[in-house]
Amino acid sequence: MAKTHTHSCTSGNPTIPRILLGAELRRLRTAAGIARDAAGYAIRGSGSKISRMELGRIGFKPRDVADLLTLYGVHDDADRDPLLALTAQANAQSWWRSFADVVPGWFEAYLGMEDSASVIRCYQTRLVPGLLQTEDYARAVIGLGNPLADPAEIERRVALRMNRTGLLHRPHPPKLWAVIDESVLRHRPGDHDATMHAQIQHLLKLSRLPHVTIQVVPTGRSPRYADAGASPFSILRFSEAALPDIVYLEQLTSATYLDKTEDLDVYTTVMDQLCLDAVPAADSVRFLVR
């Protein structure tokens, strides 16, 4: 049986344990030659429930996992115990659960992945990446992006975004590599010059952190692929070897998650090209100062 690591998952973040546990249950079911419908019947559920479990989309009842392991022929406690321990992690309460009123379902998965990633690479053409925003800048852009929201909801959304930025200041933070168009720095949300000035100062401060790299693509030095109409995107990598990289594409009211090899190859190539087209990191700092 494949060895399952449970210690590296972020505490209070069920996303990665769910994906790992689901993938292992799928591997065991396939190896046992058992159909999804038959597995669903064994736990008083359906084939579609098994599918959602295997994709890490829902929580896991310990009894269901125990019954499935028995069905799949996993009887040795040495093999069962790590997976049952992973079940407890998969049902942990996430820190963003307290923000359920302002976290849409399509964004919840991203929060879990961002919180667990070891490397985050992102490209932005319109706004400073969320993890690099100041509170005032976040308040301005969230207000513009949510014109129907009342002030209390805006403040909840700002608090959520500021909570996310805390991962850059953890004892073992992810490596963040951000490539941003110069137009991002020229755009003043709500025409607040002071807000943008403070935001650029904040970018300079963050760029001094050893795990943060910021590169600027100057106007007129358009990335070679830009004519293809590519939009902002992020690539997340995880320390767990069993997890593929994820490409995240966000729209106003939904998001797309890509993990197929052919998609990853395209976006990784584009990101590498962007880093080559952008001003080198040291020069980007001087660009921000100027």
Side-chain angles (χ1 to χ4, degrees), residues 8-225:
S8 58
C9 302
T10 306
S11 177
N13 178 357
T15 305
I16 300 305
R18 281 181 187 176
I19 295 172
L20 289 171
L21 181 57
E24 184 61 15
L25 289 175
R26 182 173 63 245
R27 189 190 71 78
L28 290 168
R29 179 182 60 76
T30 304
I34 295 170
R36 282 197 186 95
D37 286 340
Y41 183 80
I43 60 167
R44 301 150 296 279
S46 63
S48 64
K49 178 180 179 179
I50 294 295
S51 180
R52 291 197 301 277
M53 290 172 69
E54 291 179 352
L55 290 169
R57 300 252 168 93
I58 56 174
F60 296 81
K61 291 180 183 171
R63 185 182 71 175
D64 287 348
V65 175
D67 288 350
L68 287 173
L69 291 177
T70 300
L71 178 67
Y72 301 157
V74 181
H75 302 291
D76 191 330
D77 286 344
D79 291 332
R80 293 171 68 92
D81 289 349
L83 292 169
L84 293 171
L86 201 54
T87 304
Q89 291 187 36
N91 292 324
Q93 282 279 73
S94 56
W95 65 258
W96 55 89
R97 183 59 62 85
S98 61
F99 289 96
D101 54 319
V102 291
V103 176
W106 57 265
F107 190 53
E108 190 172 345
Y110 179 76
L111 289 175
M113 292 175 187
E114 178 184 78
D115 198 62
S116 305
S118 58
V119 180
I120 302 170
R121 302 174 78 190
C122 59
Y123 171 56
Q124 265 293 353
T125 58
R126 298 188 298 271
L127 300 171
V128 171
L131 291 177
L132 302 176
Q133 292 179 8
T134 65
E135 187 172 328
D136 285 344
Y137 181 94
R139 186 173 290 110
V141 298
I142 288 170
L144 290 170
N146 297 273
L148 303 179
D150 60 37
E153 182 185 333
I154 297 294
E155 289 308 310
R156 290 283 290 155
R157 291 179 180 276
V158 171
L160 169 65
R161 189 160 299 178
M162 291 301 100
N163 254 325
R164 286 170 57 201
T165 66
L167 68 83
L168 293 178
H169 306 286
R170 285 181 188 158
H172 302 289
K175 166 77 176 163
L176 176 67
W177 195 311
V179 180
I180 56 177
D181 279 359
E182 181 183 350
S183 57
V184 170
L185 307 174
R186 303 287 179 196
H187 173 67
R188 292 162 173 76
D191 293 323
H192 296 304
D193 283 356
T195 297
M196 199 63 222
H197 180 76
Q199 176 62 68
I200 292 175
Q201 294 284 350
H202 186 61
L203 290 175
L204 281 167
K205 180 180 171 186
L206 290 175
S207 69
R208 289 194 279 272
L209 296 174
H211 54 282
V212 175
T213 300
I214 300 172
Q215 286 186 266
V216 178
V217 181
T219 302
R221 193 166 166 182
S222 177
R224 279 163 245 190
Y225 85 99

